[in-house]
Amino acid sequence: MALQSLRGTTDLLPEDVKRWTTVEQTARRLARAYGYEEVRTPLIEDAAVFLRSVGETTDIVQKEMFRFEDRGGQDIVLRPEGTASIVRAYLEHHLHKTHGFVKLFYLGPMFRAERPQAGRFRQFHQYGVEAIGSASPWVDVETIVLCVEILRACGVSDLSVWLSTMGCRDDQHATSATLRKQLEPYKDTLCKECQARFDRNVFRVLDCKNPSCQAIVREHVRPLKPRAGFPPTPFQLCDACAAHFDEVRKGLREANAPFDDTQVFARGLDYYTRTVFEVRAKGLGAQDAVAAGGRYDHLVEEFGGPPTGAVGFAAGIERVLMAAKDVQSPGAPDQHRRGVYLAVLKPDFTGLAFLMAQVLRKSGVTALIDFEGRSLKAQFREADRMQARWIGILGEKEASEKSVTVKDLEQGTQEMVSIEDFLKQMTQEAGAPA
Ligand code: HAM
């Protein structure tokens, strides 16, 4: 039987990688402009990292983690997300002692054993940021603005930012009791999963995708003491959390950032407190969240560190690319021809071509050589396929005169120049902006 990639995983072929690289570079460039520094954490972690952060009753931990025991009996998972690993690394390397406020950027594969469908994969990729060490609502504002700016720069223009607050831990305790009371009469009409969620972790009912559960939530879930003029939220908020949310919304307005605070939703990971947001893009179907994030002011403490405010987001690169698909974005393949194809007319000249290619490559010029003894015509075809800008032809005449015939595929010109001049010219051209 032919071997195939696993369901929910994807091979990225060269054309895909070009688009991916553009998204990765855009995210990296903008994150750097906002003061984030890149970190890389392992793909495998001790299961406890996610049990204690994402939460034992969440869907991710209950049924979506790729989890196994290694030969030494250690409980290991393929990371399902980045935030918990970043906080573990932050504490393990004492960044809380050496830096007051740390801004970390990351990018890489995540793994969730979900049922694959359009936009939902078992290995998917995120870029994300975590700002650890501040409780300022302005950091929430900056995080959301950066999230939107990267998406727009990648060509995702038709988006909406759902914004809400989940209050502090005390607010969440009060709210879960209220939620149970309000949902109890409708418990039997909730979907099977929500009936289980009702006992395990009632907040999960708020983010159920089932339309009839959503209707029950919409009609019957209310905060006991709604605040006048406050956006709809099922959360019972203390004064400090309500004020924080007001500041975030005010800041976003001052920053001219888009947001919609009329949606009732909760995030499906346990570590969130206060601000939460999800960015939805048009045209993605059921899996329309391209990015999501929020505050997690207790996580550092829950991992054994000091009380530390923190906020971040992650975006799914596959979904960013799906949402940016039809837009003329920086993700479009490179239109420019680049580099040199060294066409060798006799195998004897391969060594010389190889040395020339090495000189060019050291200066950052892409250099390709034919090792197959193909006809000149076939080598031209290959140079064209590889989008080379120049072909350097090495035949008897050229070798005897220590020269190269250079064909410029963009300009359609051809001339014979000395090898020395050829190398100089190519190196200079490569340094010139495309
Ligand atoms: P999340 O909502 O689980 O949050 O994931 C963030 C984004 O990753 C989603 O909006 C989506 O674009 C993408 N994503 C998630 N699961 C899949 C999947 N199975 N297939 C394809 N894409 C997927 C987090 O992961 C949090 N760590 C975000 C965060 C950072 N909060 C604070 N800091």
Side-chain angles (χ1 to χ4, degrees):
M1 208 172 56
L3 294 173
Q4 287 192 326
S5 60
L6 292 173
R7 239 162 64 82
T9 69
T10 320
D11 294 315
L12 297 179
L13 300 177
E15 275 313 311
D16 305 315
V17 172
K18 281 184 198 157
R19 299 186 77 218
W20 276 65
T21 309
T22 317
V23 170
E24 291 166 359
Q25 283 171 350
T26 305
R28 208 174 252 132
R29 174 174 57 78
L30 289 169
R32 203 174 290 145
Y34 280 67
Y36 285 89
E37 290 181 294
E38 187 166 347
V39 287
R40 299 183 190 195
T41 60
L43 303 197
I44 51 172
E45 290 274 3
D46 187 326
V49 169
F50 302 103
L51 301 188
R52 281 166 53 185
S53 57
V54 171
E56 305 219 22
T57 60
T58 57
D59 282 355
I60 293 180
V61 167
Q62 291 258 320
K63 46 187 189 186
E64 293 170 4
M65 289 203 306
F66 285 100
R67 188 170 175 182
F68 61 96
E69 228 177 66
D70 73 0
R71 284 184 209 168
Q74 195 165 359
D75 191 2
I76 290 179
V77 294
L78 289 180
R79 64 178 187 194
E81 61 105 49
T83 311
S85 303
I86 297 285
V87 171
R88 187 225 9 96
Y90 167 86
L91 284 168
E92 187 170 333
H93 302 288
H94 309 290
L95 300 188
H96 58 301
K97 289 189 184 145
T98 46
H99 304 63
F101 179 39
V102 187
K103 294 174 110 177
L104 303 172
F105 168 82
Y106 56 96
L107 190 155
M110 308 291 162
F111 304 87
R112 295 185 196 174
E114 297 192 76
R115 199 169 44 77
Q117 62 179 80
R120 190 159 78 189
F121 306 93
R122 294 186 146 195
Q123 176 176 332
F124 60 99
H125 300 74
Q126 289 183 339
Y127 61 78
V129 303
E130 311 294 349
I132 310 178
S134 171
S136 166
W138 274 107
V139 186
D140 309 33
V141 171
E142 191 185 71
T143 306
I144 295 169
V145 168
L146 171 61
C147 179
V148 170
E149 196 174 329
I150 297 175
L151 290 171
R152 285 191 172 148
C154 290
V156 184
S157 49
D158 208 350
L159 49 79
S160 60
V161 180
W162 286 15
L163 179 74
S164 193
T165 175
M166 293 177 69
C168 56
R169 287 282 184 248
D170 286 347
D171 294 346
Q172 293 179 3
H173 271 119
T175 305
S176 77
T178 308
L179 270 181
R180 283 212 178 83
K181 227 180 273 162
Q182 293 176 337
L183 289 172
E184 180 81 63
Y186 313 97
K187 192 176 166 191
D188 295 344
T189 41
L190 291 171
C191 73
K192 278 244 144 45
E193 285 208 43
C194 279
Q195 292 184 18
R197 287 170 177 150
F198 183 90
D199 297 316
R200 274 200 328 250
N201 185 343
V202 71
F203 293 136
R204 295 291 78 81
V205 178
L206 298 177
D207 54 38
C208 179
K209 299 277 177 286
N210 187 312
S212 76
C213 295
Q214 285 178 347
I216 293 173
V217 167
R218 236 185 351 260
E219 275 166 43
H220 304 290
V221 171
R222 298 274 176 282
L224 277 188
K225 286 173 271 166
R227 288 167 180 273
F230 209 77
T233 167
F235 286 88
Q236 208 76 63
L237 299 175
C238 64
D239 290 344
C241 287
H244 184 94
F245 194 50
D246 279 338
E247 289 294 315
V248 172
R249 290 182 303 136
K250 196 167 132 234
L252 285 169
R253 276 189 216 105
E254 283 178 36
N256 285 324
F259 69 91
D260 173 359
D261 57 9
T262 64
Q263 308 287 342
V264 171
F265 71 101
R267 301 272 302 127
L269 299 93
D270 275 359
Y271 49 64
Y272 288 112
T273 48
R274 294 194 164 177
T275 314
V276 284
F277 65 97
E278 289 191 354
V279 185
R280 283 153 199 282
K282 277 257 162 62
L284 283 192
Q287 307 300 321
D288 62 349
V290 271
R295 233 176 214 288
Y296 48 93
D297 288 342
H298 295 285
L299 189 53
V300 173
E301 209 175 345
E302 278 158 11
F303 273 14
T308 308
V311 55
F313 77 80
I317 299 182
E318 287 83 356
R319 292 190 193 173
V320 171
L321 283 164
M322 284 165 77
K325 183 168 60 186
D326 301 325
V327 186
Q328 186 52 38
S329 73
D334 190 354
Q335 300 299 324
H336 292 281
R337 288 180 169 275
R338 281 180 303 121
V340 184
Y341 188 97
L342 293 165
V344 185
L345 295 191
K346 220 169 129 193
D348 292 357
F349 306 140
T350 304
L352 174 61
F354 197 90
L355 287 179
M356 288 165 62
Q358 289 301 90
V359 172
L360 293 170
R361 289 165 179 163
K362 277 207 181 90
S363 318
V365 182
T366 303
L368 305 159
I369 315 170
D370 175 61
F371 293 129
E372 313 303 326
R374 279 183 279 205
S375 69
L376 188 60
K377 202 167 154 204
Q379 292 188 57
F380 271 37
R381 259 203 313 272
E382 179 67 3
D384 190 46
R385 193 181 73 79
M386 297 300 292
Q387 288 285 295
R389 164 84 195 265
W390 298 276
I391 300 182
I393 305 164
L394 283 172
E396 289 291 0
K397 185 162 185 289
E398 285 85 359
S400 66
E401 294 182 22
K402 292 199 171 26
S403 306
V404 191
T405 300
V406 193
K407 200 171 157 60
D408 185 330
L409 293 176
E410 217 157 75
Q411 309 286 331
T413 54
Q414 182 168 321
E415 59 175 337
M416 200 159 104
V417 296
S418 71
I419 289 179
E420 204 179 316
D421 285 351
F422 169 73
L423 294 176
K424 224 185 272 164
Q425 188 195 333
M426 292 299 110
T427 317
Q428 276 163 7
E429 292 277 358

